[in-house]
Amino acid sequence: MKSRIFASKALPSVARHITPSEFSTESRYGLYHARRALGPQDVFTFGLAISGGVDSMALVALCSKVQVFRNSNTKFHAFVVDHGVRKGSDVEAKSVSLLIESRGIPTRVLTIDWGATGDPAKLPNFESLARKYRYQALGKACAEDGIKALLLAHHQDDQAETVMMRLVNGHRAQGLVGMKIVAGIPECYGIHGLHQSGSVGLSYQSTETDKFLPKPLEPLMIESGGVKIIRPLLNYSKARLVATCKKQKMDWFEDHTNADPSVTMRNAIRHIYTSYALPAALAPQSMVVLSRNLQVKEKHLNMAVGRFFWRCDVTDFDNRTGTVRVLPASIDIFELYQDSSLLSTKDHGLIAAFLLRKIISYVTPDEHVRLSSLHGAVRHVFPEVMKEGKMPAPPPTAFTVSGVQFQRLASCKNKQGKQKYRWLVSRQPHYSSASTRPMLHFPPTAVLEWPSWKLYDGRFWFRIKNLGHETLLIRPFEETDVGQLQLSSAGYERLRHYAPGPLRWTLPVIVLQAKAGRERAIGLPTLDLVIPEFDTLVRYEVRYKSVDVESLRNLKEINDRRISWRMI
């Protein structure tokens, strides 16, 4: 059981407390990005994730001051998560919520439902499960209340522990960046409205519609939105947060399990930091400086990637099939060195990996593309980054990485006048066993309202009304499905045009599953190809996953200007 600390009776702290004006200035970066994502509003409401510990209660104290500033249009809504593991945790959560509400911030207690798992604290993966359920509960609560940004109380000491944990686990270079002030909410991948979804973003069409097709297809709408997390205390030490709670006479709860080094790796590292003198290079402040330096370098890397991306020739991005054709830019190491004092000729391979990851992001079914998985692909697409003196071998006609297939097309000169291969980038075909193929189930719909959106294969968001009496599936298109769709000649031509050859077997197909286990394909939803009686069986909506449309639009504008200049 946690013990109550009375800040008004605590001994004075030697650290300097955080003033409301200092906090307002320091948090401006994160709040600005959140406001820009939210768009114009009369009042901006931010969520607060509160545990009751000294760090989160310092966040409450500071936010309560910010929202009473004269003419402030910033409001807060707090959420207290009760994991329901310890006896009396519900009482403690209620006490925390009353403390927060006494500071003028409305509060809701969220209780984790562990189901029939017995004692969840005895589960071998309890800590990871608790983290997952906590973030999902917070995300869903934010979505219910129309909140798009959630403030967390992670601080400088947490950052040092995080970087040290990653160092211990073998991470290097960009793996030691640590926590960022603004990020997407974790543990919510595939939950609509929480992870990069919930709003309709910009659509994009990079090529002219084919005038020979009877009914050219408009591109799918692209998802955007989701819940962002902001860490406004990341540049403050825990000592300053304690001083702030004492100054503001804010009580907090102390969890004694945080001091037990046998519970988690974070606890063990915290124990080492407080009990032993480490070399200066491994001291907490050194970990924080390392994280900041790497984040600054990552910013410069992303700027360089943006410049090289503009030099790529993206001739087609079709989100109905999940394909993109790219003639890559050449990574000019001398230009790279001149662009930033933080980058050197040694970083050209890293730039190539970042650029390749950006290209892959438009097609991949994976949530994250690890840079370490791209070494071979970088050699194929950007042979110029090979070490001097080594002649790169011709790239293969096709290769796969991160669930994506690269097919080599013709060789031609890119925008920099260098000879490069053009590539067709698409979803990797589903050659694996049926048990690992993507699949969604939609039972008959009993109500008239639309059911929730579901993410298929990490690329397409679907919501489906099943008007029939049998279960509907969405799975990869198969050769045996073609005849069942009863396509007209115009339908065959559309299929051939948008998804030629093996590419079509990466498309999602809606299948009617009979009770005997037989399946009947009734529609290719992303190509609007359906059987005649489809509307009596199904209503559906489909959108493409969130991607960086703005970069594509900027690239198209640059290309259009180049064409205009040549015509003058």
Side-chain angles (χ1 to χ4, degrees):
M1 183 77 179
K2 295 179 181 178
S3 58
R4 186 77 171 272
I5 301 292
F6 295 94
S8 58
K9 297 181 181 180
L11 294 174
S13 173
V14 295
R16 180 168 56 88
H17 71 274
I18 305 166
T19 66
S21 60
E22 181 186 359
F23 172 73
S24 181
T25 300
E26 179 67 29
S27 62
R28 188 174 299 165
Y29 168 78
L31 299 187
Y32 165 76
H33 279 269
R35 286 192 180 100
R36 191 174 71 167
L38 291 171
Q41 295 184 21
D42 293 333
V43 177
F44 294 91
T45 301
F46 296 92
L48 302 178
I50 306 302
S51 66
V54 65
D55 43 5
S56 63
M57 297 311 284
L59 181 62
V60 168
L62 293 167
C63 289
S64 67
K65 295 294 183 182
V66 168
Q67 75 173 6
V68 298
F69 284 167
R70 186 172 61 181
N71 300 326
S72 174
N73 66 341
T74 301
K75 301 299 178 184
F76 300 95
H77 189 115
F79 301 103
V80 179
V81 178
D82 173 19
H83 290 87
V85 176
R86 293 179 291 102
K87 183 178 180 181
S89 62
D90 55 339
V91 176
E92 183 180 293
K94 182 62 176 177
S95 298
V96 173
S97 69
L98 292 175
L99 271 176
I100 302 169
E101 289 178 340
S102 70
R103 299 295 175 120
I105 298 177
T107 307
R108 179 148 64 106
V109 175
L110 310 175
T111 303
I112 301 296
D113 181 10
W114 291 91
T117 57
D119 184 0
K122 294 181 179 179
L123 295 173
N125 58 341
F126 167 70
E127 290 294 335
S128 60
L129 282 177
R131 182 180 189 272
K132 174 182 176 180
Y133 294 155
R134 178 169 63 252
Y135 275 117
Q136 290 186 358
L138 289 166
K140 291 175 182 177
C142 285
E144 290 168 3
D145 292 344
I147 294 171
K148 299 297 185 182
L150 179 69
L151 273 61
L152 306 182
H154 293 132
H155 48 78
Q156 197 174 86
D157 297 43
D158 292 328
Q159 183 74 295
E161 294 164 4
T162 297
V163 176
M164 177 60 86
M165 281 195 299
R166 294 183 180 180
L167 192 63
V168 170
N169 286 328
H171 292 276
R172 297 294 181 267
Q174 300 310 119
L176 302 177
V177 164
M179 296 180 287
K180 297 180 180 179
I181 292 178
V182 180
I185 188 168
E187 305 292 352
C188 294
Y189 179 70
I191 303 178
H192 193 260
L194 307 190
H195 177 80
Q196 299 180 4
S197 57
S199 303
V200 176
L202 299 171
S203 62
Y204 177 79
Q205 185 165 309
S206 61
T207 57
E208 297 292 331
T209 56
D210 192 330
K211 63 182 179 180
F212 297 105
L213 288 176
K215 291 183 179 179
L217 298 174
E218 294 294 324
L220 298 177
M221 299 304 294
I222 295 176
E223 283 282 348
S224 65
V227 177
K228 293 288 186 183
I229 59 171
I230 304 173
R231 300 181 173 98
L233 302 179
L234 204 54
N235 290 326
Y236 296 114
S237 66
K238 183 172 183 176
R240 293 199 66 188
L241 302 184
V242 172
T244 300
C245 280
K246 292 178 179 179
K247 177 68 177 180
Q248 298 294 336
K249 295 182 171 54
M250 170 62 79
D251 298 342
W252 70 86
F253 289 80
E254 199 71 39
D255 187 349
H256 295 296
T257 60
N258 287 337
D260 185 350
S262 65
V263 176
T264 65
M265 178 182 287
R266 184 176 293 275
N267 284 5
I269 289 175
R270 187 178 301 134
H271 173 72
I272 291 172
Y273 272 148
T274 56
S275 304
Y276 300 94
L278 296 179
L282 297 177
Q285 188 58 35
S286 297
M287 296 294 100
V288 171
V289 171
L290 174 62
S291 172
R292 288 176 181 170
N293 290 342
L294 287 174
Q295 289 193 24
V296 171
K297 181 171 182 177
E298 185 175 78
K299 180 181 178 180
H300 283 256
L301 285 169
N302 284 323
M303 291 171 61
V305 167
R307 288 192 292 272
F308 283 115
F309 185 74
W310 293 340
R311 292 175 173 86
C312 293
D313 186 11
V314 180
T315 55
D316 183 44
F317 169 58
D318 182 4
N319 64 7
R320 284 187 173 270
T321 57
T323 58
V324 61
R325 287 178 174 82
V326 180
L327 178 61
S330 298
I331 307 299
D332 189 326
I333 59 176
F334 299 105
E335 177 184 347
L336 178 66
Y337 182 73
Q338 294 169 359
D339 279 351
S340 171
S341 60
L342 293 180
L343 302 178
S344 70
T345 55
K346 296 180 180 180
D347 292 316
H348 61 294
L350 194 56
I351 289 288
F354 269 60
L355 180 55
L356 188 61
R357 182 172 65 178
K358 184 176 182 68
I359 293 170
I360 288 173
S361 69
Y362 291 97
V363 177
T364 181
D366 297 341
E367 179 184 7
H368 302 293
V369 177
R370 294 181 295 108
L371 291 175
S372 60
S373 69
L374 301 180
H375 295 315
V378 165
R379 288 197 300 271
H380 299 325
V381 181
F382 301 101
E384 65 271 15
V385 304
M386 296 293 291
K387 292 183 179 180
E388 188 175 355
K390 290 186 177 181
M391 290 297 293
T397 56
F399 65 90
T400 60
V401 60
S402 296
V404 171
Q405 179 172 273
F406 281 72
Q407 296 180 63
R408 193 182 74 193
L409 304 177
S411 174
C412 53
K413 289 186 178 181
N414 63 12
K415 295 175 183 177
Q416 297 150 290
K418 305 292 181 63
Q419 203 72 20
K420 297 277 287 188
Y421 284 103
R422 192 182 299 275
W423 297 89
L424 171 62
V425 187
S426 62
R427 173 67 166 97
Q428 178 182 352
H430 303 284
Y431 293 136
S432 55
S433 64
S435 62
T436 60
R437 292 187 306 167
M439 185 175 294
L440 295 179
H441 293 76
F442 296 89
T445 306
V447 294
L448 297 178
E449 291 81 11
W450 281 99
S452 60
W453 291 85
K454 294 183 179 181
L455 182 62
Y456 170 81
D457 195 33
R459 300 181 296 150
F460 299 102
W461 286 99
F462 283 97
R463 64 175 179 175
I464 285 184
K465 284 185 182 180
N466 184 349
L467 306 179
H469 303 287
E470 297 171 315
T471 298
L472 294 175
L473 305 178
I474 295 184
R475 58 161 173 78
F477 191 38
E478 298 175 355
E479 191 170 357
T480 55
D481 299 327
V482 178
Q484 298 175 1
L485 291 179
Q486 308 169 40
L487 296 177
S488 64
S489 59
Y492 274 114
E493 181 60 23
R494 178 183 293 180
L495 180 61
R496 183 203 64 77
H497 174 78
Y498 284 99
L503 175 60
R504 64 189 57 170
W505 313 131
T506 69
L507 298 179
V509 62
I510 299 178
V511 174
L512 189 67
Q513 188 179 48
K515 293 181 179 179
R518 292 183 294 105
E519 295 181 353
R520 179 192 175 196
I522 60 174
L524 285 172
T526 64
L527 297 185
D528 292 344
L529 294 174
V530 298
I531 62 173
E533 65 270 30
F534 185 84
D535 288 344
T536 65
L537 300 171
V538 186
R539 296 284 190 278
Y540 77 91
E541 290 186 11
V542 57
R543 298 174 185 167
Y544 199 65
K545 69 171 183 173
S546 176
V547 293
D548 184 8
V549 178
E550 187 174 356
S551 288
L552 290 176
R553 284 175 171 259
N554 291 339
L555 178 60
K556 189 173 187 297
E557 290 176 5
I558 291 171
N559 291 339
D560 290 345
R561 285 199 297 269
R562 283 175 176 153
I563 294 172
S564 299
W565 292 337
R566 290 170 185 169
M567 295 176 64
I568 295 175

